[in-house]
Amino acid sequence: MLEIKGLHVSVDGKEILKGLDLKLGTGEVHAIMGPNGSGKSTLSYVIAGRDGYKVTAGDILFKGNSILDLLPEERAAEGIFLAFQYPVEIPGVANTTFLRESVNAVRRYRGEDELDAMQFIRVLRKKVAELGVSDDLLKRAVNVGFSGGEKKRNEILQMSVLEPALAVLDETDSGLDIDALKIVSDGVNRLRDPQRTTLVITHYQRLLDYIVPDYVHVLANGRIQRTGGKELALELEKNGYAAFTGEAA
Amino acid sequence: MKVSADTFGQDNDLGDDAYKYGFVSDVESELAPKGLSEDTVRFISAKKNEPAWMLDWRLTAYDHWLTMDEPDWQKPKFPPIDYQDAHYYSAPKSMKDGPKSLDEVDPELLAVYEKLGIPLKEQEMLAGVAVDAVFDSVSVATTFRAKLMEAGVIFCPISEAIQDYPDLVRKYLGTVVPYTDNRHATLNSAVFTDGSFVYIPKGVRCPMELSTYFRINEANTGQFERTLIIADDDSYVSYLEGCTAPQRDENQLHAAVVELVLHDNAEIKYSTVQNWYPGDKNGVGGIYNFVTKRAVCRGKNSKVSWTQVETGSAITWKYPSCVLLGEGSVGEFYSIAITNNMQMADTGTKMIHIGKNTTSKIISKGIAAGRSDQTYRGLVRMSPKATGARNYTQCDSLLIGDICGAHTIPYIECKNKSAVVEHEATTSKISEEQLFYLRQRGIPEETAVALIVNGFCRDVLQQLPMEFAVEAQKLVGISLEGSVG
């Protein structure tokens, strides 16, 4: 699904990723763990194609093709979804309007017919019921005045409506209480599917109790330092990242 | 003066695709000789077959105009206008014999409006919207007049009202915007050619939306329309105007005057979607939109609401205002001003509180992109008698890119201790974060900008009649094309 080869990325002239290799198979759930400043968010942004994240060497292949020349909206339409650590507020734009715009933009890109208002509402109602999101959330302006939990739930709602081939969750657990964490995790698990790949980026092992990964990678100093099974997360929880950053624990 | 067909069409290749109303229609016109003089005023008055009182009023205005200086306090500066280098009257030749009904209107003219998306055949129109179509200096058609007349509503070109309802016109014309008001309004008083006249009698709720569609077609002309709306006691009307013009590399002057008069408990909702040709990317061409609009709430508990979406014109200079005379009268001003490329806008409102317990609300949304520059300029005046008066003002500016400008200049004069004036203002930018978020959801950059801007303008767009709100939303997106990336 996703293959990253020898990726070097600079932000404002400073190299953040320094030869990162990563391979995610179809249907797998991977977790990336790492200390602050290790390049976790940079990795998610560079996959999504954010401006200012300059690839100086290496490549990112999605479904076998390089995506480095694709715009963010093209990558999204190809099936890459990023759940934001800090979802952005769009004042005055109703959540439903935004979601419909998003779904139809992706459908246009794929050469499919757009959904009219009624068709879209039917799709949305179904997803909303599945995720247990309140209707009220749909009418409000995108993320404006949402609590931390509501923002994250909104990300998961968008993900379930767009049904991406690759979902990247960037620190989705940050700012969530335990109940919200369960709801969000349930949403992610519901989308687990042999055709879909998930990349969970997190600081803490906690989230991985709910979204159980097939593989865990440790990212430090701009590279993957170690790869293992889910037990690696527990080891990190116990011993910290010191062994990978070269600092004393 | 005849204009041959080869004058037309030469400006079609200016290369700005975004402005889809930039076409010139090959319509043979009758023009006044170039230049402005007493003879020009007499020419126009004669063309309209006006009574002596009307000509006298025009000539008085013209004499006064000669004594006035060009206003220069506004922020947009521009080279002096050569008032002698324009035609002050231009009418399609086919209108010479004065078609009596829609069936007699030149099909060429109907086709022009068809192309603009305004079908003038009643059976094809939006149900519930009557249209007065003004082409250069004349009204070419007014629809649904008979139906409106059944309700007692008069909706006709002002040139006809001068003939058919001289008492009403004489009673109200110039009472809201006197011919001495400002140089552009004075010029309009001298040379105005057409526009709409509306009278809603006592106790009548106008059964349809009224609208006027202004089109400038001829080169080297100005358009000077005059609109007068009178809402008698306990009446209601919603009125909408739209405007477009061909793409040309000369600047054309549009100096209109709109007067609204409201009696007891009357309500007028006046909406404008202004989309005159804005000029090209480098600021060549475009309309100078210098407009004076004012409402007087004479009656108690009357209410006037101005809603404007200003996306066109090279320069917009416009302050739709409310004089709140009647006790408990209400003035509202909802505005969206969008400037892109080299456009300039200096726009806002004046709320003059005179009566007791009068209230006003101002919601202004300014969006500046490209190298454009815009100013919100608003006056709130609480006069000594305006006991218990209140005003709330909110001015928000949104900047796209870093070479445009937005300015807010509120003037507040409060001479009554019990009056309350509130002013809030914000300035923000479309952030890279917001754009990236929307693009990550598959929404292309320009659509994302349009979505963010429409959200920013939502409070104002909601005020538009539903039939026009959708069009206005699209226009917001189109006006900002090319503003990012």
Side-chain angles (χ1 to χ4, degrees):
Chain A
M1 182 68 73
L2 185 76
E3 189 176 358
I4 299 176
K5 296 195 287 199
L7 192 68
H8 289 255
V9 176
S10 297
V11 181
D12 293 332
K14 187 176 179 233
E15 188 165 65
I16 308 288
L17 298 184
K18 305 163 184 172
L20 183 139
D21 293 294
L22 188 65
K23 206 170 172 176
L24 313 182
T26 302
E28 296 171 354
V29 174
H30 290 246
I32 288 194
M33 301 184 70
N36 284 332
S38 59
K40 298 196 300 296
S41 285
T42 296
L43 176 61
S44 68
Y45 287 146
V46 79
I47 292 171
R50 187 168 189 168
D51 284 347
Y53 291 76
K54 199 167 177 249
V55 174
T56 53
D59 205 351
I60 305 176
L61 306 178
F62 178 64
K63 296 177 179 171
N65 301 312
S66 174
I67 55 169
L68 292 184
D69 290 336
L70 298 185
L71 297 169
E73 54 267 39
E74 293 169 334
R75 298 185 196 199
E78 290 287 340
I80 295 175
F81 180 91
L82 171 62
F84 284 61
Q85 183 178 2
Y86 303 109
V88 181
E89 298 185 0
I90 316 283
V93 178
N95 220 0
T96 312
T97 308
F98 157 61
L99 274 167
R100 186 171 156 217
E101 196 65 58
S102 164
V103 166
N104 281 335
V106 169
R107 292 182 72 96
R108 273 197 300 275
Y109 178 87
R110 294 177 183 165
E112 298 164 2
D113 287 339
E114 294 183 31
L115 299 183
D116 66 30
M118 292 312 294
Q119 290 169 322
F120 177 71
I121 286 293
R122 272 197 291 277
V123 172
L124 191 57
R125 288 253 171 271
K126 193 164 157 271
K127 300 291 182 188
V128 164
E130 279 173 15
L131 292 171
V133 176
S134 80
D135 266 10
D136 170 59
L137 215 62
L138 298 175
K139 291 178 203 140
R140 286 157 61 187
V142 180
N143 295 323
V144 176
F146 284 27
S147 69
E150 284 173 331
K151 282 185 180 171
K152 297 296 168 72
R153 247 178 279 178
N154 200 25
E155 295 293 290
I156 302 304
L157 173 65
Q158 293 166 37
M159 184 169 92
S160 77
V161 170
L162 288 168
E163 302 186 327
L166 171 68
V168 179
L169 308 172
D170 186 10
E171 308 235 1
T172 294
D173 49 337
S174 70
L176 288 189
D177 60 32
I178 204 77
D179 293 333
L181 191 65
K182 274 185 194 155
I183 291 171
V184 166
S185 308
D186 281 351
V188 174
N189 288 329
R190 199 180 292 276
L191 280 175
R192 273 183 111 139
D193 176 313
Q195 302 306 315
R196 189 167 287 134
T197 301
T198 306
L199 178 61
V200 181
I201 294 173
T202 185
H203 222 71
Y204 301 108
Q205 190 270 338
R206 187 176 71 155
L207 179 67
L208 304 181
D209 288 341
Y210 299 94
I211 305 170
V212 182
D214 301 308
Y215 300 93
V216 173
H217 310 272
V218 179
L219 174 61
N221 296 330
R223 302 175 73 138
I224 300 295
Q225 304 286 350
R226 199 171 139 194
T227 295
K230 62 185 178 220
E231 65 288 346
L232 179 56
L234 295 168
E235 190 187 320
L236 287 169
E237 186 80 354
K238 203 167 133 206
N239 301 330
Y241 295 109
F244 303 103
T245 55
E247 292 162 18
Chain B
M1 183 187 271
K2 251 189 182 176
V3 169
S4 60
D6 62 5
T7 316
F8 298 96
Q10 63 192 16
D11 302 315
N12 282 340
D13 296 313
L14 294 181
D16 270 23
D17 294 336
Y19 190 74
K20 68 170 178 173
Y21 305 107
F23 62 88
V24 180
S25 307
D26 189 355
V27 172
E28 208 182 345
S29 297
E30 182 185 21
L31 292 165
K34 248 189 191 180
L36 180 58
S37 65
E38 200 176 300
D39 286 345
T40 315
V41 178
R42 288 181 185 279
F43 177 96
I44 292 166
S45 191
K47 277 285 158 209
K48 304 274 179 189
N49 224 347
E50 286 177 349
W53 60 266
M54 193 67 250
L55 175 62
D56 288 347
W57 194 72
R58 288 175 180 276
L59 289 172
T60 314
Y62 176 70
D63 286 343
H64 188 70
W65 184 78
L66 292 173
T67 67
M68 298 170 93
D69 292 327
E70 197 81 19
D72 65 352
W73 43 264
Q74 73 277 9
K75 193 151 185 299
K77 301 295 177 213
F78 49 90
I81 297 169
D82 182 356
Y83 288 96
Q84 300 308 329
D85 190 32
H87 299 284
Y88 287 81
Y89 182 83
S90 161
K93 278 206 139 178
S94 60
M95 292 303 294
K96 208 175 169 187
D97 304 326
K100 289 286 168 283
S101 74
L102 280 174
D103 299 337
E104 292 174 31
V105 174
D106 182 0
E108 284 286 328
L109 285 172
L110 294 180
V112 171
Y113 284 86
E114 195 81 39
K115 199 168 167 186
L116 292 166
I118 321 277
L120 292 176
K121 294 184 182 134
E122 291 184 359
Q123 61 273 25
E124 291 168 15
M125 294 186 51
L126 280 172
V129 183
V131 178
D132 182 18
V134 177
F135 190 86
D136 290 336
S137 305
V138 290
S139 167
V140 296
T142 310
T143 64
F144 292 114
R145 282 171 68 171
K147 193 176 172 201
L148 288 164
M149 197 50 98
E150 281 170 31
V153 172
I154 303 170
F155 179 42
C156 69
I158 199 159
S159 52
E160 280 183 45
I162 291 165
Q163 307 291 334
D164 298 345
Y165 311 101
D167 295 346
L168 273 177
V169 175
R170 276 187 95 165
K171 187 172 171 192
Y172 292 105
L173 187 75
T175 60
V176 184
V177 180
Y179 69 82
T180 49
D181 195 82
N182 67 75
R183 198 163 192 247
H184 305 309
T186 302
L187 176 63
N188 175 288
S189 302
V191 302
F192 78 88
T193 44
D194 229 327
S196 300
F197 176 81
V198 178
Y199 174 76
I200 316 287
K202 279 181 187 168
V204 171
R205 195 181 164 85
C206 185
M208 7 181 40
E209 300 269 348
L210 304 185
S211 70
T212 303
Y213 194 89
F214 296 100
R215 175 72 178 170
I216 296 178
N217 187 62
E218 187 64 73
N220 298 307
T221 58
Q223 191 175 52
F224 305 92
E225 89 268 7
R226 189 143 191 136
T227 294
L228 175 59
I229 302 180
I230 302 139
D232 218 325
D233 295 351
D234 306 300
S235 67
Y236 168 84
V237 63
S238 169
Y239 176 93
L240 182 127
E241 59 177 1
C243 353
T244 60
Q247 236 163 271
R248 292 210 170 86
D249 56 12
E250 60 176 23
N251 293 110
Q252 283 180 283
L253 179 61
H254 170 254
V257 172
V258 174
E259 298 180 280
L260 311 184
V261 180
L262 295 92
H263 293 284
D264 287 356
N265 303 309
E267 181 175 352
I268 299 179
K269 202 171 152 53
Y270 192 107
S271 312
T272 304
V273 177
Q274 185 266 105
N275 189 21
W276 295 118
Y277 177 55
D280 72 2
K281 279 201 280 291
N282 301 311
V284 177
I287 302 291
Y288 286 172
N289 188 37
F290 300 160
V291 173
T292 307
K293 293 184 171 178
R294 196 173 301 149
V296 175
C297 287
R298 288 196 189 176
K300 62 178 193 307
N301 299 321
S302 53
K303 178 179 176 185
V304 64
S305 180
W306 297 101
T307 303
Q308 60 172 23
V309 179
E310 303 283 322
T311 63
S313 300
I315 302 176
T316 294
W317 181 97
K318 180 184 169 189
Y319 316 89
S321 303
C322 305
V323 180
L324 303 171
L325 211 55
E327 189 176 332
S329 57
V330 178
E332 294 177 338
F333 174 73
Y334 299 97
S335 171
I336 297 171
I338 299 180
T339 51
N340 195 1
N341 298 318
M342 297 292 280
Q343 282 176 275
M344 294 184 279
D346 193 308
T347 186
T349 184
K350 287 189 265 186
M351 293 292 177
I352 314 291
H353 292 253
I354 299 170
K356 278 182 194 163
N357 298 319
T358 47
T359 54
S360 65
K361 182 157 131 187
I362 299 170
I363 308 284
S364 164
K365 305 279 182 176
I367 300 106
R371 285 176 287 166
S372 71
D373 193 86
Q374 61 169 270
T375 303
Y376 165 82
R377 190 185 300 275
L379 168 69
V380 176
R381 178 182 293 153
M382 300 296 187
S383 48
K385 288 178 187 166
T387 303
R390 295 184 74 99
N391 160 267
Y392 173 74
T393 301
Q394 185 188 334
C395 291
D396 298 322
S397 305
L398 185 68
L399 303 172
I400 301 175
D402 49 16
I403 44 173
C404 53
H407 319 272
T408 299
I409 308 178
Y411 302 79
I412 296 172
E413 296 172 12
C414 192
K415 294 187 175 127
N416 184 300
K417 277 184 182 167
S418 69
V420 179
V421 181
E422 288 177 78
H423 181 94
E424 288 181 24
T426 66
T427 302
S428 51
K429 280 185 77 165
I430 290 189
S431 68
E432 185 272 333
E433 251 188 334
Q434 285 177 319
L435 282 178
F436 175 61
Y437 187 66
L438 295 177
R439 296 175 75 188
Q440 210 303 303
R441 298 304 185 246
I443 301 169
E445 192 167 26
E446 289 204 334
T447 315
V449 170
L451 199 62
I452 292 168
V453 172
N454 269 303
F456 175 76
C457 300
R458 188 159 177 260
D459 297 346
V460 175
L461 288 170
Q462 277 177 335
Q463 298 296 327
L464 285 173
M466 210 168 56
E467 295 88 336
F468 302 101
V470 177
E471 284 305 308
Q473 274 182 30
K474 281 188 205 150
L475 188 57
V476 166
I478 292 166
S479 310
L480 289 167
E481 267 173 23
S483 62
V484 289

